[in-house]
Structure formats: C-alpha cells, structure tokens
Amino acid sequence: MRAVLPPHELKLLWSDITKAHGTFQGVVEVRTESLSDGAACIALIRFASGIEAFLVSFTGDGRIRGFFTNAAALVGRRFVEHLAHGEFEVASHPFDSAMRSAASPNQLADLWKATQGQLGDFQAIERVSVKGERGALDAFVVGRFAHETRTLEVVVNHQAQIVGFFVLPAQTAWTSPSYSDPAKYTERAIHVGSSPPLPGHLTLPNGAGPFPLVILVHGSGPGDEDESGGDSNKPFKDLAQGLATRGVALLRYDKRTHVPPLPPPPITVREEYFASVADALSLARGLASIDKSRIVLAGHSMGGYLAPWLARNNPGLAGIAMLAAPARPMLTLAVEQTEQLAKLHPDRKDLVAQLAQERRDQERASASDLKTDEPIFNATGAYWLLLRDYSPVATAASVPISMFVAQGGHDYNVSSTADYSLWHDGLEKHPNVVFKLYPDLNHLFISWGGTPSVEDNKHHGHVAQILVDDLAAWVNVTVAR
C-alpha cells in the first residue's frame, strides 16, 4: 500500500477529495465488516457539501491495504451475501427509512425465495461493478444461480445506505445489428492522443477511399468507446458498423475520464472533451483512407451539447451532428430529472435531499462569487464557470457548416419538446441544417414504446436503422464534397 499510495500521493488524493466535497468537518460513523482475510471499515465523513462514505480495507493484522472513495461495491456485495445466507434481518440493516418501510425482513425473504424459485439456488457472486454520477451509485452484482446468471442492482446513496434493490431482466449479449454487413467494412484498433493514449477503433468501408469520417463524442460521465450500457447496449458500436456498411468511416475511442490516471484537478470540459477531440482530429487528418474535407463530429447527449463549441475550436470540419443534445444548461436538465423522480417516489427521502442539494448547486453555479474549487454537482466551480456563458444554439447558429439535429420522442433525459424546439427555432434560418424527430426512440435512439422513465437506457436494443440511414445520407449527400 505504501508503494501504491506514498505520502505525497495521499496528500494529493485528500486535496482532490476536499476540492470535490468541501472542508472536512468530522467523522460521523464507522461501520466495521469482518472479511475472511481481514476487515473493511465504512467511514461516514461530513464535509461542507454533506456526508460521504469511504471504504478502508485492512489485513488480518490490522494494516491498511486499500482506500476507496465509495463503499457501494462492498455494500452491494455484502447485501447479496446476506440474502444468500438467509440473513434477511442483517441484510436490511443498511436500508434507509424509505426502504425499511417498503421492504421488511420478511418481505425480503419472500422476494429472495421467489427469485431463487425462478432462477434456481444461488451459487456465487461472479463480479461487482459500480456506476453512477450523482445522488446514488448502482452496485451491479452479477450472481450465478443454478439455472442462469443474473445481475442484481443494489442502489446505494452517498451515506452507504441501500435505497433500492432490483433483480434486472436477463440481458442478451450484444450482437451486430441487422443493418450491419461485415462484408462491407473492416475495423482496426487505434489510440487517440498519448497522455494517456485512449484506446478505440477505426471502422472503414471496404474499397479504395478516401472516405468521409464521423468522429463520435460521448455523453456525460465516463464511457468506453462503445458508450456501453451493460453487456447488451453498445450504441456507438451500432453506429460504427451501420455507417461503415453505408460507406461512412467512423472513429470511436474511450472517453478521457474513463482511462486512468485522470487529469489533475480542476477538471473542466477542456480536459474532459476538448483535448481528446483535437487529438482524434489530428489522427484522422493523417490517415490516407480519410477524406480530410469531409470529417464530421457527432456528439451524443452532452457531446452534442458541446459539438458547436468543438466546431468553433476546430476549423475545417465539414459538419456536426447533435444527437439527443440538450439545448438548455446541463444543471437545468439534472434538476428537472430529479424533480420527475421525486414526484414518482414521494417517500424517497434521499431524492428529496438530492433535489434540494441540486437546486442549491444550480443557484451557486450562477453566483457571482462562485469559487473555482467550490464543490458543485460532482465537479468544481471551475467546471461550471467555463460553461456559464456558453449557449449551444447560439454558437451553432454562428458556425457556417452542415448540421444534423436528431431527437427521440421517448427520451427521458433530453426533452423532445423543450430542447428540440430550441434547436429547431434557433437554427431554422441556418442554410444547411437537417432536423429529425423520431417519436418512438429513446435517449439511445433505441425503439421504445413504453412511458419514458429513468430505466429507459437499460432497455435492450440497437440504435434504430432509420437514424443510421438518415445520418449516413446526411454525410454522403449533404456534407460538402
């Protein structure tokens, strides 16, 4: 542990933590979990921004062997282990008040009995992963049962309390979409940039070339090159194969915040997006197989929000595509989404607290005295100060290149009325814009007929062929040759 985290690195780590959460105010509680080869302590620590849970792992003789800035993985794993051992009272100990009201130990026992009745006796935990950006973290515990393997989602708030538990539907492993023809393209590994190099792939149509190229830009949060959602949804890979089948090359790569080590703080969109996009463009312009006059950026969600800014910073692009892109400030959308969740779950005290904090963050983000190191919405003031005066629609209107604006009507994350209307009204006089509204598609442009909800992005499917066809036609026909 000393070699991995020497004193000067520990000091830097603690500095990053206090920049993110504010001044340390004290230890609230310490919970100890016995392990087969030592122990783990969950420490609840109060900072200026609120209480956060940290995990410290010890060897059998009491030496520290690990320090983790969230405890969700351990909480999720231990919860499932207690269920497997029939310890339902113990399993419910980390529940918050809303969960205690919703699921007593007896109800938990009935749920576990029904789960094993369907899936067979529980055998082992295969792996645990954690995802999430605000309010709560999702611990995905992959459990092997007698009849099949299934993912159990344990939702853990920042105080290491369990606020939700779900047995997820069986996931189908990703397969190529029906509109992909492997005989029409090849794919090779690439690396974007060097500090550190970001792994990815270039998907090229077969033939002589040079080909037009789409470079994909991720949405918010860390994301791999496929913008994967579990094992079954890989929308960027769908686009790569679909577009290459239609004569358009595609470049995708792991997002900068997905590849360690992270940039030194404060992290802003410059570090998160701008540097890697510039590196990707530099790589693309050096490839003989690519038509350098026909390179397009296609940004999804926040990547689309930033696409006009990226185009302004990188002259020479042939076009930009905004796919499910917010037109309003990001914090406005975040608060709006939490408001909808709080209305659906009025008994969830964690959502009420989360909403109150997000509203405070939203107000502080526009304050004249906002400090660059002030913790605001899982970032620092520097992040939001850089975005404060940015208007994606106004910036797009000032960029004289081809544009493609696409939005799903069943998108829970970005409004098909408020945001799409702002794009449409602000760009309707632009000489070269294609607008596409797909009533039945969700935030990932997957066909989804249900009521839009926070669970939409877990719905298995492929990017709809109609979007792939329309995007390919725009690149092949509309983007200047």
Side-chain angles (χ1 to χ4, degrees), residues 259-320:
V259 179
L262 293 180
I267 296 175
T268 69
V269 291
R270 287 195 180 101
E271 294 77 23
E272 187 181 15
Y273 286 94
F274 291 5
S276 55
V277 168
D279 287 339
L281 283 167
S282 178
L283 171 66
R285 286 167 175 159
L287 298 173
S289 55
I290 299 303
D291 183 342
K292 298 164 187 59
S293 67
R294 302 180 68 202
I295 298 177
V296 168
L297 294 183
H300 177 239
S301 196
M302 189 168 181
Y305 174 83
L306 293 171
W309 196 346
L310 292 165
R312 187 176 65 187
N313 286 359
N314 296 281
L317 287 171
I320 51 174

Side-chain angles (χ1 to χ4, degrees), residues 5 47 55 58 120 122 136 145 182 223 258 269 334 350 352 363 381 428:
L5 198 63
F47 295 91
L55 175 64
F58 295 89
F122 181 82
F145 294 81
H258 183 76
V269 291
D350 63 304
V352 174
E363 183 177 352
E428 62 180 348

Side-chain angles (χ1 to χ4, degrees), residues 380-449:
T380 61
Y383 193 95
W384 304 108
L385 281 167
L386 187 59
L387 292 173
R388 178 177 286 181
D389 298 323
Y390 173 60
S391 168
V393 177
T395 304
S398 70
V399 179
I401 57 177
S402 298
M403 298 184 193
F404 181 89
V405 181
Q407 177 64 47
H410 272 262
D411 190 333
Y412 175 81
N413 301 79
V414 177
S415 172
S416 60
T417 52
D419 293 285
Y420 182 71
S421 295
L422 286 171
W423 285 112
H424 192 279
D425 295 345
L427 297 178
E428 62 180 348
K429 294 182 180 179
H430 193 285
N432 197 355
V433 184
V434 173
F435 295 100
K436 294 290 183 179
L437 178 62
Y438 305 100
D440 298 327
L441 304 187
N442 67 13
H443 190 58
L444 300 180
F445 292 95
I446 294 171
S447 181
W448 175 233

Side-chain angles (χ1 to χ4, degrees), residues 121-347:
D121 290 343
F122 181 82
Q123 297 180 341
I125 292 174
E126 293 193 347
R127 62 185 182 275
V128 181
S129 60
V130 175
K131 291 186 178 179
E133 294 184 66
R134 61 178 191 274
L137 297 169
D138 295 317
F140 295 101
V141 183
V142 179
R144 186 171 70 251
F145 294 81
H147 302 327
E148 64 179 277
T149 297
R150 189 69 69 87
T151 299
L152 311 173
E153 179 184 4
V154 184
V155 187
V156 182
N157 67 18
H158 285 194
Q159 289 78 52
Q161 296 174 312
I162 294 175
V163 299
F165 171 58
F166 308 94
V167 180
L168 299 184
Q171 285 199 333
T172 304
W174 184 90
T175 56
S176 292
S178 60
Y179 49 75
S180 167
D181 184 351
K184 293 185 177 180
Y185 61 83
T186 57
E187 190 167 80
R188 66 181 177 89
I190 52 90
H191 284 88
V192 169
S194 58
S195 301
L198 308 178
H201 283 87
L202 175 67
T203 312
L204 279 172
N206 290 336
F211 303 102
L213 173 73
V214 170
I215 299 175
L216 293 177
V217 184
H218 295 80
S220 61
D224 67 11
E225 62 174 305
D226 299 325
E227 208 176 48
S228 301
D231 295 326
S232 57
N233 289 337
K234 297 182 181 293
F236 279 12
K237 195 167 186 175
D238 290 345
L239 287 172
Q241 295 190 359
L243 291 177
T245 295
R246 289 154 178 77
V248 178
L250 190 135
L251 178 65
R252 67 192 197 276
Y253 54 90
D254 286 355
K255 191 176 176 183
R256 176 64 186 88
T257 48
H258 183 76
V259 179
L262 293 180
I267 296 175
T268 69
V269 291
R270 287 195 180 101
E271 294 77 23
E272 187 181 15
Y273 286 94
F274 291 5
S276 55
V277 168
D279 287 339
L281 283 167
S282 178
L283 171 66
R285 286 167 175 159
L287 298 173
S289 55
I290 299 303
D291 183 342
K292 298 164 187 59
S293 67
R294 302 180 68 202
I295 298 177
V296 168
L297 294 183
H300 177 239
S301 196
M302 189 168 181
Y305 174 83
L306 293 171
W309 196 346
L310 292 165
R312 187 176 65 187
N313 286 359
N314 296 281
L317 287 171
I320 51 174
M322 283 73 83
L323 309 178
R328 297 171 293 159
M330 299 302 295
L331 282 176
T332 299
L333 271 70
V335 171
E336 188 177 89
Q337 291 168 20
T338 306
E339 285 174 343
Q340 293 178 47
L341 279 176
K343 287 178 182 177
L344 290 172
H345 306 282
D347 297 330

Side-chain angles (χ1 to χ4, degrees), residues 9-22 263-265 380:
E9 292 286 349
L10 187 61
K11 184 178 180 180
L12 288 173
L13 175 61
W14 185 250
S15 176
D16 290 348
I17 290 170
T18 54
K19 282 179 181 178
H21 302 299
T380 61

